[in-house]
Amino acid sequence: MNLSFALHLAYRDARRGAGALLVMASAIVIGVAALVSVSSFKENLLEAVEMQTREVLGADLVVRSRRKATKEVSAFLESIPGEKARGISLASMAYFPKSRNSRLVQVKAVSDGYPFFGQLVTEPPQAEKNFRTRASALVDKSIMLQFGLREGEQVRIGKKLFTIEGTLLSVPGGFDMRSAVAPQIFIPLEELESTGLVALGSLLRYRYYVKLPPEINRVELADTLRPEVRELGLRLVSVESRRERLGEIITNVYQFLDLIGFIAILLGGIGVGSAASIYARKKKTFVATIRCLGASRQEALVFFSIQVLVCGFLCVLLGAFLGVLLQMQLPALLGDFIPVQVAVSTNWMSVLTSMTLGVVLLFSFALVPLWRIQRFPPLLTLRSEMEPESSISRSDIILYGAALLLLVAVCVIHVGNLKVASAYLAGFSVVLLLLWLLSVGLRRLLRLMKGEALPFSLRQGAANLFRPFNQTLTIMLCTGTAACVVCVVLFIEKAILARADASMSIERPNMILFDVQSDQEAELRSFFEDYKMPLLSSVPIVTMRLESVKGRPVAELRKKDKEIPRWTLTREYRSTYRRTLSSTEEIVAGTFVSEVSAGSTRIPISLEERIAGNLKVALGDELVFNVQGIALTTYVSSIRKVDWERVSPNFFVVFPAGVIDDAPQNLVFVTRFATPEDGAKFQRAAVERFPNVSIVDLSLILTTLDTVVSKISRVIELFTSFSVVTALIVLAGAVWGTRTQRAEESVLLKTLGASRRVVLVTLATEYLILGVCAALSGCILAVAANILLSIYAFKIDFTLAFGPASVVFLGVVVATLTVGVIGSGGTYNRSVLDTLREIEE
Amino acid sequence: MDDAVIVSLAGVGKTFKSAGRQLSAVKDVDIEIHQSSTCALVGPSGSGKTTLLGLCAGLDRPTSGTIRVGGKSLEDLDEDQLARHRGQQIGFVFQSFRLLPTLTAIENIMVPAELLGLEDARSRALELLERVGLSERLDHYPAQLSGGEKQRVALARAFIHKPRLLIADEPTGNLDAETSAVIQDLLFALNRESGTTLIIATHDPELAERCQRVFKLHAGNVTEAPQVSQ
């Protein structure tokens, strides 16, 4: 084989034909950009986590507990070497006297020393030190902005008034999702007691921060401490475990975004395959001529392969460049969800890997059309009308198989998980298969429908969809898939918000008051009456811990039974007692016992089905609970299914009335306000009068959720848009690739007397039908996907989101029509002679 | 004329399947063509001229019979060996020129020589461009050349690797009478200079008359017309 000839010829040909070649490979650009940006950014994130985990954690080790330290725990904590700091966090209401506003916050009471690593960033900067010495508070910037607060104003937490020392700009580990619903307020630890919030039943989270001496090996110490930590019912978070967890989260987010981006590259691949087919067909006589002049099949193949690979590489390079630019924008988009400070830098290894993936994908999609090139016989030079053989040989089958295997291998290697990659490819293939079937059906239907009564241009436009060398299938596949992806994303977005919205429906509660003490019950009830607020329910909560399950002590189970999740054994159960089931529950086994006499030795209880499964207990099994020092022997009399999605106080364990009614307890009050103004007025007054009571305004949560979902959506939509842009490029490529054929048709029609308008309407009809069919197919597939997601993933009733579907439908139709008509290069508008000359060239 | 036989066809037939029927494009042809001779294939459209030309060039395979070109039996060669054989032995001139549109005139001419790996491809091409009177247009693309110029480039390309056999399919079919005459003169002049054997399929009686032998084709049957004086 004369490689030098093939190289020379490839270069010479590309000088004049570079446009067509670049159009062919350009479909891959966006997909590569998506992969480069997200994979390089992932490496940035992982590097940042590697460097900053101590700053995220604020310490070398953190020991967590939901209980106040017992003597054993204190002794254990004392035994850990190094400097220590403490923190207690709880949810409470913050009341701002000046503006008389209030809102649910996370109070974080921290001792001196915290954080050992990283810092509380405040405005003014010295506020970070001063709030500790002046017994004042640092308030999250979102609250400062929301209520227009200024430094020096006051905030009341529980019973105590704090001066606002400054604005909290950032904390070690960043602000999490919880902070979106309940922003943080920092106070000194020693001031927490005076707020009066450390009452019985309050949900407190204790944290012990440790800064180890440099000579101590952190990993070894953490390993040594773990058994005792488990024994004491605590949790230990080390820099390493946090790093691992953050790494997992980052990888999960990366995989999700990468998979969305991957659709773009696969669509691009289809576009490349289609464009390569058009390109190869255009080069039919070229190949025949060089073969006639003595070039072998291999030389012809190498000649084209070089062109495709070089142009593909250039497009991949462009994609990588765009990806690097896009990567710079990602921190702004993802900033709210990143726990570390990310210095964006290009990770060349990621760029290189993504580029290789792009080139290999491009080649695997272009392989089949390239292979066909060698089938163009040299006899075409004498008989240009003859068509190459269309039969499929054994080598063709081997090649098709190889291309498919290459594609699957690339996908598996890229995703890094055979199961995920298989599911992904299977899903993608199903979508493509369905679109292919729809495309075939459409062409058959159009062929059958003669439409003799229709004007010529409409008939001709429809006929173009099944003419030889039509691009109907490619456009349907790419545009339809893009429409489907966008539609599914919009549907999911709607579904999440609709589900949250459903909880706010007219008959459901929208405000919950918790941490109500027993002695406040009567006063609060009359307070409700004063404000004409309906008290929908008042639910008592008694805290308790599990002592034994089926006669085996919890301590033993924790050591020996690895199948029972630890949290089910060590958690503080916040249980209730009542005579009836609530509207969110239904009995799935046994009988719900409403009341027992106070002297009963074995108490029938109702367990939630999942906790029963976790504890491996069935009807009749015995559980012993420790209710503030008193052991209560119970047995499972019923198992309940609970709709946790409904906003209502739901419980794992429900006791019958008559047993724990007199145990120390607090209450949850559930109500519903009619208007936001009524809600705000009631909340303000309640916080003023009952400072220890926390109030959750569900409408605020909905608004927050809306904001969070919007932020996430923005990121997902960006990655989804890659598929859309790719589909448009493929569409433009298909239009551009067949424009000579269109020009010839246009010339012929004009020569025969068709006006410009007729040619234009013919063209528009073709793309209108194509756009409508692609959009409709994509939307139908999206609806099907959404029905499946509603049933199996979200477990909600399916509702068709007409809004997003209509937007996607119209968008796709308009885009297809516009790109189609504009991309045809105004063939309808040009003179016959000009077009003829162009065709000649 | 050299007495050595360069092309020999013995019992050559070619049938095609069309609409489920076998059609004979060429029937039982026996021809021997000598080195450096000039032959014309004439006949009405569909008579089998192009089929016979394609068979001689090794672009197509006969259904029956054997074809030998330059001493080699074409049926023994596979696709790529045939391509190499064409590259070494045969030059082509087509009615529709078949210049590669993305290559300049000189690059088009160089293609056969480059395929053979000849190092002096460029100097040969320049020489031939000069010879066909296009030395000023070496960097022009086919689209920038007139029909006559294109065919002159095609002629230069056909002779660059000094083929033993030149196959021309209606070389003047797309040209006006004046240009056609120029091309014919060039074709025969180059043929004389290089000692190439020439087989031309043509409708043009004038062109056919300039050949030493004329084969008439009718419905796939070949008969040799009486020898004309040169």
Side-chain angles (χ1 to χ4, degrees), chain A residues 677-689:
Chain A
E677 291 72 30
D678 289 349
K681 197 171 137 194
F682 175 77
Q683 180 173 320
R684 195 159 46 227
V687 173
E688 275 179 20
R689 182 130 159 225

Side-chain angles (χ1 to χ4, degrees), chain A residues 23 85 124 243 306 322 384 458 550 575 598 605 636 711 735 774 799:
Chain A
V23 165
R243 188 179 292 159
I306 291 167
L322 292 177
S384 55
L458 297 187
K550 291 194 275 189
S575 309
I605 56 164
V636 183
K711 282 180 181 172
V735 173
T799 47

Side-chain angles (χ1 to χ4, degrees), chain A residues 533-570:
Chain A
M533 291 284 280
L535 180 55
L536 301 177
S537 64
S538 95
V539 184
I541 293 176
V542 178
T543 57
M544 57 188 70
R545 285 183 185 275
L546 203 51
E547 261 189 5
S548 72
V549 179
K550 291 194 275 189
R552 296 176 71 194
V554 162
E556 182 195 319
L557 288 170
R558 267 166 44 195
K559 274 186 199 154
K560 294 184 181 168
D561 197 328
K562 302 291 174 205
E563 286 178 27
I564 299 179
R566 283 176 44 76
W567 67 270
T568 60
L569 299 170
T570 57

Side-chain angles (χ1 to χ4, degrees), chain A residues 350-367:
Chain A
S350 299
V351 174
L352 205 65
T353 312
S354 303
M355 284 176 67
T356 310
L357 178 89
V359 173
V360 174
L361 265 178
L362 179 131
F363 193 66
S364 61
F365 274 103
L367 200 57

Side-chain angles (χ1 to χ4, degrees), chain A residues 2 12-13 15 298 383, chain B residues 51 79-80 102 107 114:
Chain A
N2 190 340
R12 287 170 187 159
D13 181 59
R15 281 176 322 197
Q298 287 91 333
R383 296 188 181 281
Chain B
T51 303
E79 277 287 299
D80 289 334
T102 48
E107 287 166 353
E114 285 184 323

Side-chain angles (χ1 to χ4, degrees), chain A residues 728 731-740 742-743 763 767 815-828 830 838:
Chain A
L728 290 178
L731 172 63
V735 173
W736 199 82
T738 52
R739 77 191 196 296
T740 311
R742 282 168 201 294
L763 205 62
Y767 286 106
T816 311
L817 189 60
T818 312
V819 173
V821 173
I822 294 174
S824 295
T827 45
Y828 56 91
R830 297 163 74 180
E838 191 179 291

Side-chain angles (χ1 to χ4, degrees), chain B residues 106-148:
Chain B
I106 188 163
E107 287 166 353
N108 261 291
I109 297 168
M110 284 159 64
V111 168
E114 285 184 323
L115 269 166
L116 290 173
L118 302 180
E119 287 183 0
D120 58 348
R122 190 169 174 84
S123 59
R124 283 190 190 203
L126 283 169
E127 204 177 294
L128 278 162
L129 267 172
E130 180 87 39
R131 179 72 185 80
V132 298
L134 288 176
S135 53
E136 302 296 314
R137 314 204 59 143
L138 74 167
D139 286 329
H140 283 61
Y141 286 95
Q144 297 163 318
L145 302 172
S146 68

